[in-house]
Amino acid sequence: MDMAEQFDVVVIGGGPGGYAAAIRCAQKGATVALAEKDQMGGTCLNRGCIPSKALLGSAHFLTLAKHAPLMGLEIADVRPNWSKMQARKDAIVAGFRKGVTGLVQSNRIKIFTGRAIVSAQGKVRIEAVGGIQEIACKNIILATGSVPVEIPIFPFDGQTIISSTEALSLPTIPASMVIIGGGVIGCELACVFAAVGAKVTIVEALPQILPNEDEWVGKLMAKELKKLGIETMVAQKVTGVTASDGSANMSLESGQTLQAEKVLVAVGRRAFCDPETVQSLGLEMNGPVIKVNQKMETNVPGVYAIGDAVGTTYLAHGAFSEAEVAAANATGGNETMHDYDLIPRAVYTFPEVASVGKTEKKCAALGLDVTVGSAPFRSNGRSVAHNENVGEIRAIRDKTSNKIVGVTMVGATVTEMLAAARALIGSTEPITEVCFAHPTVSEVLKEAWEDAFGISLHVPPKR
Ligand code: NAD
């Protein structure tokens, strides 16, 4: 038998965590293999971030076009063409998939297509269509991702009861859709389907939509979604679904009933790792989640895990950060993941929601004595000029340390201000001396920050 091909590092999973880790290892001079059983780019590129943002891009354009009369414009007819929206989305995804594959190869990383199983420490078996191949390595980085959570009493049927994967590629616009779960996926896809004309209802189990954010965010977003025609039901659970003839009847805990053409279940994602790998390595798990320490090391020496598979953030950029740490440590470095609060959170709804650092409720739970500065978009010149003046920014200052510990933003383009908001976290001094261009949307961030120190220029003094 041939000698197994040998690598310094084998990365399993070609999503944002996996390909970033592979590239970083290669940049350090390691010989690297990357195994992917499906398509390069993982959930983010193939059935997550990118396709959803492509559809949201079309939906946003459509929503704005409907405001034409307010802007002094006459547009005769604006209608969605779903199959063209789908084709555009598919082309965007295909383009990035090609790009990422080329990028990985340009870093001299060998891509193996097939199911990769770690059969023993330093040994990976790849089951491809063409046959089985064994490769050997010093270190392994598991970046095996996640799958949509299913509700056991009404599992996915792929037709009427669907996950985000099917929702992103529906052949036609459904007349109606009930979305179970008012989290990130639920709210984003509600914006897509409402914009193209579906009657959308969100059913959220907790007392607010986007429950990871502060209460004011949930309330404001419910009000804004309502303007798009989206109904939100909170503190409510679907107890049963019967699907037949392309339609679903649902019963709710309250005794109410709902009917819809599609039921989108968006109640979170579950970490995934091949059970054979878990068993052969004796990986320590926490349910479906691979246990790791701050160095992204599993209990098995030389085996690291990152991204959705470790159940920390379920965010592509969370996986990017963890990839940096795992790649450094797998190539002789010594790095640790630090404060997960500093991983920004972005929701691409209309308007957008973006936050970084601690929320007010997290501060309360930690017993921090805080004061909250705020500034609205309605008094920002550029936001008004663009007719995108909904929302506000809040900056939280810890009175004891006198530092900004969190920023939460709701508004048209707030996700693009996350890097600036991140830079404010930990700052103690008001930024009166930092010059923000005028008129820009980002001036609202400066106002909120100054307000947290009681010295905003454009927010009237509080009495
Ligand atoms: P999520 O955790 O954001 O939201 C799930 C929601 O479902 C929660 O609000 C939860 O309270 C609710 N829920 C749970 N069980 C329920 C039930 N039986 N009935 C009604 N509501 C129920 O998860 P998601 O929206 O499915 O997204 C999965 C992951 O993917 C998340 O971690 C998310 O951060 C990530 N994601 C991120 C982005 C982004 O960053 N823009 C976009 C999409 C997904």
Side-chain angles (χ1 to χ4, degrees), residues 48-49 52-53 146 148-149 151 154 164 179-188 203-206 208-212 233 236-238 265-270 308 313-317 344-348:
C49 320
S52 64
K53 263 77 265 176
S146 64
V149 167
I151 299 181
F154 41 90
S164 52
I179 302 179
I180 303 181
V184 186
I185 293 182
C187 289
E188 287 186 0
V203 183
E204 165 59 48
L206 292 173
Q208 70 169 84
I209 57 167
L210 299 175
N212 291 335
M233 303 173 84
Q236 190 60 263
K237 268 192 174 172
V238 174
V265 178
V267 295
R269 294 186 67 89
R270 185 190 309 283
D308 285 8
T313 68
Y314 294 98
L315 296 170
H317 52 277
R345 305 173 289 273
V347 192
Y348 300 82

Side-chain angles (χ1 to χ4, degrees), residues 58-359:
S58 299
H60 192 231
F61 197 110
L62 181 58
T63 310
L64 289 185
K66 287 187 177 157
H67 296 160
L70 261 168
M71 307 293 282
L73 303 171
E74 288 169 22
I75 300 180
D77 190 17
V78 197
R79 278 177 297 161
N81 181 324
W82 183 252
S83 56
K84 285 191 178 163
M85 275 174 70
Q86 283 289 326
R88 172 180 179 271
K89 178 255 303 174
D90 291 341
I92 290 171
V93 169
F96 279 116
R97 207 187 282 138
K98 206 170 151 202
V100 116
T101 307
L103 178 70
V104 167
Q105 285 164 337
S106 73
N107 279 282
R108 298 174 193 280
I109 294 160
K110 184 158 179 183
I111 298 177
F112 289 87
T113 305
R115 175 183 171 217
I117 299 127
V118 186
S119 46
Q121 228 167 318
K123 281 199 172 49
V124 179
R125 186 175 83 238
I126 294 156
E127 298 177 353
V129 187
I132 293 178
Q133 209 174 338
E134 296 274 356
I135 54 177
C137 57
K138 293 180 202 137
N139 290 305
I140 293 170
I141 300 178
L142 300 170
T144 43
S146 64
V147 293
V149 167
E150 189 168 61
I151 299 181
I153 48 168
F154 41 90
F156 297 121
D157 63 18
Q159 292 296 324
T160 307
I161 306 174
I162 58 174
S163 74
S164 52
T165 305
E166 293 82 32
L168 289 168
S169 296
L170 285 181
T172 54
I173 300 170
S176 53
M177 177 181 273
V178 164
I179 302 179
I180 303 181
V184 186
I185 293 182
C187 289
E188 287 186 0
L189 289 181
C191 288
V192 169
F193 286 102
V196 297
K199 184 182 172 299
V200 178
T201 308
I202 296 175
V203 183
E204 165 59 48
L206 292 173
Q208 70 169 84
I209 57 167
L210 299 175
N212 291 335
E213 301 301 335
D214 282 321
E215 203 181 309
W216 69 272
V217 177
K219 279 198 180 134
L220 178 54
M221 285 310 295
K223 196 170 128 203
E224 288 306 312
L225 294 185
K226 176 100 187 160
K227 290 184 193 163
L228 301 170
I230 302 161
E231 291 295 329
T232 49
M233 303 173 84
V234 293
Q236 190 60 263
K237 268 192 174 172
V238 174
T239 48
V241 181
T242 47
S244 62
D245 299 331
S247 145
N249 288 302
M250 281 148 276
S251 46
L252 305 183
E253 224 167 32
S254 61
Q256 283 168 279
T257 56
L258 289 173
Q259 195 266 331
E261 194 178 320
K262 298 284 175 195
V263 182
L264 164 59
V265 178
V267 295
R269 294 186 67 89
R270 185 190 309 283
F272 174 82
C273 182
D274 202 299
E276 233 184 290
T277 296
V278 175
Q279 205 189 12
S280 55
L281 279 178
L283 275 184
E284 237 177 73
M285 305 291 285
N286 190 358
V289 164
I290 305 171
K291 273 198 194 174
V292 285
N293 62 16
Q294 282 190 312
K295 293 179 165 188
M296 309 316 296
E297 293 167 333
T298 67
N299 63 311
V300 184
V303 180
Y304 302 81
I306 57 174
D308 285 8
V310 300
T312 42
T313 68
Y314 294 98
L315 296 170
H317 52 277
F320 280 144
S321 293
E322 291 168 347
E324 298 286 349
V325 173
N329 295 337
T331 52
N334 184 15
E335 281 190 22
T336 52
M337 262 312 278
H338 9 254
D339 197 351
Y340 275 99
D341 278 345
L342 295 180
I343 305 251
R345 305 173 289 273
V347 192
Y348 300 82
T349 38
F350 317 146
E352 298 176 350
V353 178
S355 59
V356 61
K358 293 177 178 50
T359 55

